[in-house]
Amino acid sequence: MKLPGTVAWTEEGIRILDQTLLPAEVVYRVLETIEELEEAIRALRVRGAPALGVAAAYGLALALRKEKPADRAAFMDALPRARTRLEKTRPTAVNLAWALARCEERVREEKTPRVEDLHAALLDEAHRISEEDRLLCERIGEAGEPLVPDGGSVLTHCNAGALATAGIGTALAPLYRAWKKGKRFEVFADETRPLLQGARLTAWELREAGIPVTVLCEGAAAGLLASGRVGLVLVGADRIAANGDTANKVGTYGLALAAAAHDVPFYVAAPFSTFDPGLPDGRSIPIELRAEEEVTGGRAPRGVRAWNPAFDVTPARLIRGFVTDRGLVRPPFERRPGGRKRIG
Amino acid sequence: MKLPGTVAWTEEGIRILDQTLLPAEVVYRVLETIEELEEAIRALRVRGAPALGVAAAYGLALALRKEKPADRAAFMDALPRARTRLEKTRPTAVNLAWALARCEERVREEKTPRVEDLHAALLDEAHRISEEDRLLCERIGEAGEPLVPDGGSVLTHCNAGALATAGIGTALAPLYRAWKKGKRFEVFADETRPLLQGARLTAWELREAGIPVTVLCEGAAAGLLASGRVGLVLVGADRIAANGDTANKVGTYGLALAAAAHDVPFYVAAPFSTFDPGLPDGRSIPIELRAEEEVTGGRAPRGVRAWNPAFDVTPARLIRGFVTDRGLVRPPFERRPGGRKRIG
């Protein structure tokens, strides 16, 4: 199975596959500064919640390397500044903030005064996050594989595949795993307006992997679900509240409503770290509003406004289960005797 | 209020506003042959169920004028041939077949042997259909105006406005009427992939009329409805089965599900002739599958398939009411004592 190298560390900087050019061109870029990384994240050259976590972790290493702090104090002073800059690039995906916090914590734990050791610890933590993400994807694939029908169809939204992670993806991982085991099925991919991650990215990586894929407009999904041809809906997640309410690419909520209307199992695949226990429910998830031009660009009349939220929130009651690296988790999540919500 | 001349008869042929070029260019074309009209209908240069009825009626007049039948027998022989050709251009909209049948019937009723009288009758019937459509739109506007909130927002899908009719539209008619009466509101227009009739056409004609309009992707509509900002969803219809199941532009069904989930009133506006009493329910409405290229065009990887139905079917239970030229009609439709379903 041929899968892309979405994000990797090199001596020159962070190497990414520029996803804005896919599928027409397969171009790898090396980002040498934090400014280049910020631009790449905002422009969605690198995207997908888990891949953003990995890229941001490497971004800290990159920023500190360029900053050349003279001593530990300067290093520890520069670190949160870089962290804050990277955190601001995309507000919804929890992985980004989570990876940055983890890197900073790791460095704070290193008691060494030697700057080169701090650099090494930072880069090591970023490598760990990347390698862990690869393993998480494998485990998500294993946990979700039994859900994949043999001979039927699966519907997915946006791109939660290899291009969104450092591994074989989240929502697509069970499909890759099932295909490898010999199951045969077709994937329907919502094109995912406005940026067409489904038509451009999911279609591209599934075709590269040899899995049959058919693209459709978001508007056609409810009719497809009504037709009875889809046995499973599987999507990724950018942030999951403690009660299971899930933020994912805009359009996911409507898809979940349509799946529920036709009793098609609707599952969310994500690393366990996507759960944000600090948020009681979906109302507190910050939703990124992106540029109006992404929607109006070239087609709407001049001067017409657009409303362009990047994400929406699917309530937990519409989600049959979460496919995670810790196995299949089903809502509703009970309260622990201690009063804290239990996730999984 | 400035509204476009969507379709009109001229000495040279059928004058249409070419909707494939909007909003970038406002180009009127005169179609001089039935071939040109067939192409214009298939390419959606002229579109919208009521406008298609008017265009098809004029198309018969055009075809017969070009055919130059020598006598009544030749005229009556050519007429159904032209009718069949035009009927085949778009299978879903009932108005097209309805207008063609009505023209043919009118001509059959003319017992004159004079070919010029038959021509005159045919053209007269087409003019009547056009003028009636204008009046139907006015009545739909009147019937629906009380539903329009003053100060709130209305969400619509595709284009069911002046560009889809020979008048002020169907779904947009109540909005034009309410605006003229002094109500103030904002319109959210689904962009309506793949052909962007919302972003291109609805946004254009509302802006021309001075009504504030904001475009959004279909995927964002469920989140918008969840936000509580929308007081009314109003869409058009291409065909309505006897039980109220409604075929309209693909994406309407998902929108209706989301409106129901948030208890936002969902209404369908259409001339009464859009009801097809011959179809018991939505399952028997033929759904046009259009070219895959409309979806994949330029963005999806080469060789990837697309599923591109032009319409979907919204079950009657999700529709709060129908705004028609005969007033507001609410499902469920009862059976008459005689056993025939009663519409309205």
Side-chain angles (χ1 to χ4, degrees):
Chain A
M1 201 127 48
K2 219 172 83 189
L3 290 173
T6 300
V7 51
W9 178 261
T10 73
E11 274 314 301
E12 292 74 37
I14 305 170
R15 196 192 63 166
I16 61 157
L17 174 53
D18 186 343
Q19 300 191 29
T20 61
L21 304 178
L22 285 174
E25 293 175 71
V26 179
V27 174
Y28 288 88
R29 290 186 194 286
V30 175
L31 311 173
E32 298 182 8
T33 64
I34 188 171
E35 288 78 15
E36 285 178 19
L37 177 60
E38 286 174 306
E39 190 278 336
I41 292 175
R42 287 212 175 88
L44 312 189
R45 298 187 200 287
V46 57
R47 43 146 299 282
L52 285 175
V54 174
Y58 284 133
L60 280 187
L62 192 67
L64 271 290
R65 195 175 69 171
K66 289 278 160 185
E67 181 108 2
K68 295 192 177 58
D71 53 24
R72 182 182 168 97
F75 195 103
M76 299 314 282
D77 183 56
L79 192 58
R81 275 191 279 116
R83 175 182 166 181
T84 304
R85 285 180 65 167
L86 289 167
E87 258 175 7
K88 282 184 183 160
T89 51
R90 305 278 314 269
T92 302
V94 73
N95 312 57
L96 201 149
W98 167 87
L100 290 167
R102 182 173 148 175
C103 287
E104 187 172 334
E105 197 176 336
R106 163 74 188 274
V107 173
R108 291 206 180 279
E109 278 166 8
E110 299 283 330
K111 295 305 175 199
T112 172
R114 288 166 43 95
V115 168
E116 51 268 48
D117 290 348
L118 296 172
H119 279 300
L122 190 53
L123 188 57
D124 179 62
E125 197 62 25
H127 282 320
R128 277 171 197 261
I129 288 172
S130 176
E131 173 58 13
E132 282 172 25
D133 189 51
R134 197 186 63 73
L135 285 170
L136 294 178
C137 292
E138 293 293 335
R139 289 198 202 111
I140 290 168
E142 271 171 56
E145 183 278 320
L147 301 172
V148 180
D150 192 3
S153 291
V154 178
L155 175 57
T156 189
H157 186 71
C158 194
N159 174 267
L163 288 169
T165 63
I168 60 169
T170 53
L172 299 192
L175 307 185
Y176 288 129
R177 170 69 64 151
W179 190 265
K180 216 170 163 185
K181 278 188 68 173
K183 283 186 182 174
R184 288 300 172 260
F185 50 86
E186 179 180 18
V187 179
F188 284 98
D190 272 355
E191 61 172 6
T192 318
R193 281 281 295 159
L195 296 174
L196 301 170
Q197 291 92 335
R200 295 191 301 110
L201 308 181
T202 298
W204 182 77
E205 67 166 275
L206 287 172
R207 196 199 56 175
E208 292 288 298
I211 299 178
V213 55
T214 297
V215 170
L216 69 158
C217 299
E218 273 77 278
L224 179 68
L225 289 161
S227 78
R229 293 160 72 186
V230 174
L232 171 70
V233 181
L234 197 51
V235 300
D238 288 79
R239 195 182 296 214
I240 307 171
N243 73 337
D245 291 353
T246 296
N248 189 45
K249 177 60 55 205
V250 71
T252 303
Y253 175 35
L255 194 59
L257 284 169
H262 294 286
D263 209 28
V264 178
F266 182 95
Y267 282 86
V268 169
F272 204 78
S273 58
T274 314
F275 280 95
D276 184 346
L279 296 180
D281 60 44
R283 285 170 302 182
S284 29
I285 301 178
I287 297 293
E288 174 185 4
L289 274 177
R290 292 183 59 85
E292 299 185 26
E293 172 71 15
E294 285 183 357
V295 177
T296 54
R299 301 313 298 270
R302 214 175 304 168
V304 164
R305 306 287 312 259
W307 185 63
N308 185 24
F311 303 94
D312 60 20
V313 175
T314 300
R317 65 183 161 77
L318 298 175
I319 300 168
R320 195 75 64 96
F322 295 89
V323 184
T324 80
D325 44 295
R326 303 196 196 166
L328 215 58
V329 178
R330 294 181 193 275
F333 303 119
E334 300 146 24
R335 280 188 179 276
R336 276 191 181 147
R340 222 178 121 236
K341 281 195 190 262
R342 197 173 69 95
I343 313 169
Chain B
M1 203 126 50
K2 221 172 83 189
L3 290 173
T6 301
V7 52
W9 178 260
T10 73
E11 275 312 300
E12 292 72 38
I14 306 171
R15 197 192 61 166
I16 61 157
L17 174 54
D18 186 342
Q19 300 192 28
T20 60
L21 303 178
L22 284 174
E25 293 175 70
V26 180
V27 174
Y28 287 89
R29 289 187 195 285
V30 175
L31 312 172
E32 299 182 6
T33 63
I34 189 172
E35 288 78 15
E36 285 178 19
L37 177 60
E38 287 173 304
E39 189 278 336
I41 293 175
R42 287 212 176 88
L44 310 188
R45 300 187 197 287
V46 57
R47 45 147 297 283
L52 285 175
V54 175
Y58 283 133
L60 280 187
L62 191 69
L64 271 289
R65 193 174 69 170
K66 288 277 160 188
E67 179 109 2
K68 294 193 178 58
D71 54 23
R72 182 183 169 96
F75 195 105
M76 300 312 285
D77 182 56
L79 192 58
R81 273 189 280 117
R83 175 182 167 181
T84 304
R85 284 180 65 169
L86 289 167
E87 260 175 6
K88 282 186 185 159
T89 50
R90 304 278 314 269
T92 302
V94 74
N95 311 56
L96 201 149
W98 167 87
L100 290 166
R102 181 172 149 176
C103 287
E104 187 171 334
E105 199 176 336
R106 162 76 187 273
V107 173
R108 291 206 180 279
E109 278 166 7
E110 297 285 330
K111 294 306 177 196
T112 173
R114 286 167 45 98
V115 169
E116 50 269 49
D117 292 347
L118 296 171
H119 279 300
L122 190 53
L123 189 57
D124 179 63
E125 198 62 25
H127 283 319
R128 277 171 196 262
I129 289 172
S130 176
E131 174 57 14
E132 283 172 26
D133 189 50
R134 199 187 61 73
L135 285 170
L136 294 177
C137 291
E138 293 293 335
R139 291 200 200 109
I140 290 169
E142 272 171 55
E145 184 278 319
L147 301 173
V148 180
D150 191 5
S153 292
V154 178
L155 174 58
T156 188
H157 186 72
C158 195
N159 175 266
L163 287 168
T165 63
I168 60 168
T170 53
L172 299 191
L175 307 185
Y176 289 129
R177 169 69 66 150
W179 190 266
K180 216 172 163 183
K181 279 189 70 173
K183 284 187 183 173
R184 290 298 172 262
F185 49 86
E186 179 180 20
V187 180
F188 284 97
D190 272 356
E191 61 172 4
T192 317
R193 282 279 296 160
L195 297 174
L196 300 170
Q197 291 94 334
R200 295 191 300 110
L201 308 180
T202 297
W204 182 77
E205 67 166 275
L206 287 172
R207 197 199 57 175
E208 293 288 297
I211 300 178
V213 55
T214 297
V215 171
L216 68 159
C217 298
E218 273 78 278
L224 179 68
L225 290 161
S227 77
R229 295 161 70 186
V230 175
L232 171 69
V233 181
L234 197 50
V235 301
D238 288 78
R239 195 182 297 213
I240 307 171
N243 73 337
D245 291 352
T246 296
N248 189 44
K249 177 61 56 203
V250 71
T252 303
Y253 174 36
L255 194 58
L257 285 169
H262 295 285
D263 208 27
V264 178
F266 181 95
Y267 282 87
V268 170
F272 204 78
S273 58
T274 315
F275 280 95
D276 184 346
L279 296 180
D281 60 44
R283 285 169 303 181
S284 29
I285 302 178
I287 298 295
E288 175 185 3
L289 274 177
R290 292 183 61 83
E292 300 184 27
E293 172 72 13
E294 286 183 356
V295 177
T296 53
R299 301 313 299 269
R302 212 175 305 169
V304 164
R305 307 288 310 261
W307 185 62
N308 185 24
F311 304 94
D312 60 22
V313 175
T314 300
R317 66 183 160 76
L318 298 175
I319 300 168
R320 194 76 62 96
F322 295 89
V323 184
T324 80
D325 45 294
R326 302 194 195 169
L328 215 57
V329 178
R330 294 183 194 273
F333 304 119
E334 301 146 23
R335 281 189 178 277
R336 277 193 179 143
R340 223 180 120 237
K341 280 194 192 266
R342 196 173 69 94
I343 314 168

